[in-house]
Amino acid sequence: MGNIFDILGPVMVGPSSSHTAGAVRIGLIARQLFGRRPDKATVYLHGSFADTGKGHGTDKALIAGLLGMKPDDLRIPDSFQIAKEEGMEFTISPKDMRDAHPNTAQIIMEKEGVKPMKIQAFSIGGGRIRVSKMDDIDVNFSGESNTLIVRNEDKPGRITEVSTALSKENINIATMQVFRDKRGGMAVMVLEIDQPVSEAVIKELESKDGILKVTFLNVNG
């Protein structure tokens, strides 16, 4: 059975749930994955986002999300000015992305002293999104659940190490997806989980041989 969100759509500042509310969510999820507000953001728009995004406020919505706003924030139309006041530089331009969904945005985030991060995501309507790439690595998650992303060498034992570390903290795994570029190459685990992951667990995982980077998306910010 669907919920009221499925029937009525998101509480949002319009005009479009896909081009406005979805765009805010893309910006917000990107910021949460980056772990901070970027000092500089380079934003590329593909397909319908590029063709009709300005009229729907997609550009302002993405910047609003990067500033930490949610889809119902009344300040969204003023996001460009607010970004300027907060010292966040940004550029927005169209880009043809091969095989990408028509409502796709790519965001490159930078901050002094922090490794840049590139996020690619698309809006599927109703304010919902899917994250499709992180730093050019294929992924697939919604950002609606606590999500742990583990980048590792494709070797035996990595999945067991991650699941064991979460089990010790009584963290339940709802879904797990594994992506790799080739056998024995680079791999990515995407785990949607029921509880937040502590910084101690993240550091423990990052200390293990063959695990290259761990990113945690906390849906509560």
Side-chain angles (χ1 to χ4, degrees), residues 2 9 17 37 53-54 59 69 77 85 91 99 108 119 131-132 143 158 163 179 184-185 191 194 205-207 221:
S17 63
R37 193 211 73 194
K54 190 169 184 179
D59 49 0
M69 298 182 200
E85 292 170 357
T91 59
D99 299 326
I108 302 170
I119 298 295
V131 179
S132 55
R158 301 292 85 82
S163 59
F179 307 87
L191 303 93
D194 293 338
L205 289 173
E206 289 181 327
S207 70

Side-chain angles (χ1 to χ4, degrees), residues 1 8 10-11 24 42 68 71 76 82 90 94 98 107-108 115 138 149-150 154 159 161 168 185 187 194 201 209 220:
M1 177 180 292
L8 298 178
V11 177
V24 175
T42 304
I76 290 171
I82 294 171
F90 65 89
R98 186 177 179 182
I107 304 174
I108 302 170
K115 185 178 179 181
D138 289 335
I149 302 104
V150 180
D154 182 36
I159 293 175
E161 287 180 337
K168 286 195 304 183
D194 293 338
V201 172
D209 183 50
N220 294 317

Side-chain angles (χ1 to χ4, degrees), residues 146-185:
N146 292 319
T147 306
L148 187 70
I149 302 104
V150 180
R151 304 180 207 189
N152 59 280
E153 298 172 356
D154 182 36
K155 295 181 179 179
R158 301 292 85 82
I159 293 175
T160 299
E161 287 180 337
V162 172
S163 59
T164 298
L166 296 180
S167 178
K168 286 195 304 183
E169 298 296 319
N170 293 315
I171 296 172
N172 189 53
I173 299 172
T175 68
M176 174 185 280
Q177 302 175 78
V178 180
F179 307 87
R180 66 181 184 181
D181 56 0
K182 61 182 180 180
R183 184 174 182 178

Side-chain angles (χ1 to χ4, degrees), residues 101-112:
H101 186 281
N103 295 337
T104 293
Q106 185 182 91
I107 304 174
I108 302 170
M109 296 164 288
E110 300 175 57
K111 190 174 183 68
E112 186 176 355

